[in-house]
Amino acid sequence: NFASHEARELRAPLERSTEVVRRLIEAKKALYHQAARTVAHAADPAAELARVEEAVPELLRGEVRDGAGNAMAKVERAPGAPGIPPQFRELPVEEPVPGEGGRSVLVVFAADQSLLEWHEELGRTLDTIRRIDSVRGELPRGYRLAFLILVGGVVVAATFTGVLLARRYTRRIAALVSGTRAVADGDLEARVAIRGRDELGELATAFNRMVEDIERDREQILYLQRIGAWQDVARRLAHEIKNPLTPIQLAVQQLVSSYAGDDPRHKKMLADADEIVGEEIASLRRLVDAFSALGRLPPAEPKPLDLVVVADDLARDPSLAAHLEVVPPDRAVTVAGDRLLLRRLLANLVENGVQAGGGGAVRLAWEAGDGVARVTVDDAGPGVPAADRERIFEPYVTSKETGTGLGLAIAKKIAIDHGGDLEVAAEASPLGGARFVLTVPLA
């Protein structure tokens, strides 16, 4: 349509241009013939030929011949002379001289070749434009209708597809925005469910991982705050309880030893009292030791540490060696850890496992992955109920009759101080009991 429109617009000026060039060529030819006739009819053809040479720059050569064809007068200009076109075609014009016994005039002009080629090119261009202009009129109406239907169908399909894609992406973006707002409002349980492996899917996965990290960090911060408060209380209780224990024990012992009578019932009562007070004082001393351990827990000083070294330290403990089964990985795993604190953490877990399993085996294993070392401690005990998996790490929560409930709290704090965490796995241990999982950053 555009080509045919341009063809109609250009046709008229091209036709006029072609006519102008044609007239110019015809005028040049008429000039050349008129010049030849002027020389032939002049009283002195030779002199007139010289004047024509000056008047017509395109004159290449000219001769005035006698009846025998011999040149009586002659002029000639070399190619390249002023007025001679660079590209030309010789155009000879011969005129008889009237009443002079067969004399004649022959003049040869240098016709401009580019002017002729221009005229031919204009003619060809005009023919092409006429043909293009005729295409629209000759094209069947059904063709044009089919073309419009095809183009319209493509436009409708593209628009419909674009709308569907836009709605799909806007829904996914809206889900991300909704999740972001929920997190901003403090809901750290918010997750974005976006399927796919494109950029939005990767963004949703990264968002969910970020929220999980924030939630875990917040829980760890709250846990450390609670432990910090308990540490302050433990330091004060340890100080307040420890001071009167020795005087109480000495007073009871003195009371028992000062009795000089021989009443068996009274002696037995004093002995029972001494035993009961001794047991309670021993229990209080264990509690004071636990308080002191929690209150004086040193800060972690992580250094590159091979976990095999910590496992060897545990294996040298006589109380643990007989129950400990170590399963090291094929390659060394080096973590950023404090040797003393990690040994204390794992010793606490192994000791708890031995007690929970009634003296059974405890398996210690570890592996590296995703920038952390994952250490598992499996026991053969009854396991940990799902409701107690988070509560078990709180201070003074214990299922043992003689336990203080501070061992796991201390172990979790050590793990968090290392930039890791300590949890009870949801799945059961291969040994049938509980599985504790410690994560520590790799060195």
Side-chain angles (χ1 to χ4, degrees), residues 171-412:
R171 280 199 304 267
R172 302 170 83 194
I173 294 174
L176 277 172
V177 172
S178 177
T180 304
R181 288 175 177 171
V183 172
D185 292 338
D187 182 11
L188 294 183
E189 295 183 357
R191 298 293 184 270
V192 178
I194 295 181
R195 298 179 180 178
R197 298 183 178 179
D198 56 359
E199 290 81 359
L200 285 177
E202 294 177 357
L203 181 60
T205 302
F207 174 83
N208 292 336
R209 188 181 300 114
M210 178 197 70
V211 175
E212 291 173 359
D213 292 341
I214 293 174
E215 184 177 16
R216 183 177 62 253
D217 291 344
R218 185 181 71 171
E219 291 175 354
Q220 290 183 350
I221 290 172
L222 294 175
Y223 183 82
L224 290 177
Q225 289 176 348
R226 293 197 301 270
I227 290 295
W230 278 110
Q231 282 183 295
D232 186 53
V233 173
R235 280 192 297 267
R236 296 184 181 183
L237 285 177
H239 178 72
E240 296 296 333
I241 295 175
K242 184 177 182 180
N243 289 336
L245 288 182
T246 301
I248 291 174
Q249 188 173 19
L250 291 175
V252 172
Q253 291 175 353
Q254 185 178 5
L255 180 63
V256 173
S257 61
S258 63
Y259 178 67
D262 55 359
D263 187 352
R265 294 181 58 190
H266 191 67
K267 282 186 177 182
K268 185 177 184 307
M269 182 182 66
L270 290 177
D272 291 343
D274 185 29
E275 182 181 356
I276 292 173
V277 171
E279 291 178 357
E280 293 301 326
I281 288 177
S283 177
L284 285 174
R285 288 190 187 278
R286 288 196 301 271
L287 187 60
V288 167
D289 292 340
F291 286 163
S292 299
L294 179 61
R296 296 195 308 266
L297 195 63
E301 298 180 358
K303 297 178 182 178
L305 175 65
D306 191 340
L307 288 177
V308 172
V309 175
V310 182
D312 290 341
D313 291 343
L314 295 177
R316 292 192 186 97
D317 189 337
S319 63
L320 302 178
H323 308 279
L324 181 61
E325 176 188 354
V326 179
V327 185
D330 296 334
R331 291 185 292 180
V333 177
T334 303
V335 300
D338 187 311
R339 179 176 177 179
L340 295 178
L341 291 179
L342 285 183
R343 180 174 60 191
R344 182 173 181 178
L345 186 159
L346 292 176
N348 188 294
L349 295 180
V350 173
E351 184 179 351
N352 285 351
V354 172
Q355 295 176 0
V362 175
R363 181 180 299 168
L364 174 65
W366 62 92
E367 61 184 1
D370 296 331
V372 298
R374 187 172 182 267
V375 185
T376 57
V377 179
D378 297 312
D379 62 51
V384 179
D388 295 338
R389 285 179 190 152
E390 294 297 330
R391 183 171 170 269
I392 196 173
F393 295 106
E394 295 294 330
Y396 309 111
V397 175
T398 181
S399 59
K400 295 183 293 186
E401 294 181 359
T402 59
T404 62
L406 296 177
L408 289 179
I410 293 174
K412 188 173 182 69

Side-chain angles (χ1 to χ4, degrees), residues 3 15 23 32 39 46 104 156 226 265 288 331 425 438:
E15 287 178 345
R23 290 183 182 182
Y32 300 154
V39 173
S104 62
V156 171
R226 293 197 301 270
R265 294 181 58 190
V288 167
R331 291 185 292 180
L438 167 66

Side-chain angles (χ1 to χ4, degrees), residues 18 21-22 25 114-123:
T18 304
V21 175
R22 185 187 64 79
I25 294 174
S114 61
L115 189 62
L116 299 175
E117 292 175 355
W118 186 19
H119 183 263
E120 292 174 358
E121 183 180 358
L122 281 173

